[in-house]
Amino acid sequence: MASLDCTKLEIIKADKEILSSIEFDCGDEDLNEFLLEDSFSNIENSLSIIYLCLYEGFVVAFFSLSSDSIKINKQLEINYPMYPAIKIGRLAVHKDFQRMHIGSILIDWIVGFCLELRRDVGIRFISIDAYNLEKTKAFYIKNLFEELQPKKNKNRRNVPMYRDLCQK
């Protein structure tokens, strides 16, 4: 597929019935397994909410959201040991739709969702444990995330990152 009409993207909250009828392959077995197998128990146990991104009825991406709290690198105007956050638990784009900016569109949707949600619930940050790969970290940095404790992350599989919702 050469191009994508982004106006046709639809984001829906998934339930077990929807998840049991989809096919998905992002090229990463761990992310595929999460969506197609592990997500059922996450929903059942209220650990995360799964969202699907559809294009003309086809699942082109997914992400999961849950609550979180984080320690951050810098001093804020109010000094708390931990700050409220929404965690992107998983985020993946189907291998046939990668490099079409869908990941960034999802990040923008998540930011808008969190900004709306924080009218009713305290949320300062969006957090994620990104794969410790240069291309993955570069994607999140491009989407205004910062690495938590960068000196400690050199040999880790995942790198904690965050985005401050109070910064433009």
Side-chain angles (χ1 to χ4, degrees):
M1 182 172 284
S3 74
L4 184 83
D5 180 356
C6 293
T7 63
K8 292 184 178 181
L9 290 175
E10 177 186 11
I11 296 175
I12 64 166
K13 190 184 302 185
D15 59 24
K16 289 194 241 180
E17 183 180 333
I18 292 169
L19 289 169
S20 65
S21 66
I22 64 170
E23 293 181 23
F24 186 82
D25 184 4
C26 67
D28 181 298
E29 198 54 43
D30 185 48
L31 291 170
N32 292 338
E33 183 179 306
F34 173 80
L35 179 63
L36 301 173
E37 297 174 24
D38 302 340
S39 62
F40 295 90
S41 63
N42 273 35
I43 291 170
E44 187 174 309
N45 291 295
S46 297
L47 299 175
S48 64
I49 302 298
I50 314 302
Y51 292 87
L52 302 176
C53 179
L54 307 176
Y55 183 73
E56 297 181 344
F58 184 78
V59 178
V60 298
F62 81 92
F63 59 91
S64 67
L65 297 179
S66 59
S67 61
D68 195 13
S69 63
I70 63 170
K71 287 183 176 184
I72 63 160
N73 300 336
K74 57 190 171 200
Q75 187 79 18
L76 295 179
E77 57 282 351
I78 299 174
N79 191 16
Y80 285 152
M82 303 288 277
Y83 294 90
I86 295 293
K87 181 180 235 27
I88 302 171
R90 307 291 173 111
L91 187 151
V93 176
H94 190 284
K95 64 183 180 181
D96 295 339
F97 292 84
Q98 293 175 1
R99 291 178 251 320
M100 295 184 183
H101 306 289
I102 294 172
S104 293
I105 291 168
L106 295 181
I107 296 291
D108 288 345
W109 187 93
I110 293 166
V111 168
F113 176 79
C114 290
L115 290 173
E116 185 67 28
L117 184 60
R118 77 181 198 167
R119 298 167 115 190
D120 298 312
V121 178
I123 303 167
R124 175 68 189 253
F125 297 96
I126 298 173
S127 65
I128 188 158
D129 292 333
Y131 285 152
N132 195 1
L133 303 169
E134 286 309 312
K135 71 176 188 170
T136 305
K137 292 190 297 185
F139 165 77
Y140 286 107
I141 290 167
K142 180 182 83 168
N143 283 284
L144 306 178
F145 282 77
E146 296 179 44
E147 195 172 330
L148 276 167
Q149 305 170 332
K151 293 177 183 171
K152 294 182 179 181
N153 294 330
K154 195 172 194 174
N155 297 316
R156 297 174 78 175
R157 180 174 184 237
N158 295 318
V159 175
M161 300 182 82
Y162 68 94
R163 179 170 169 171
D164 190 341
L165 292 169
C166 290
Q167 305 218 337
K168 299 295 177 210

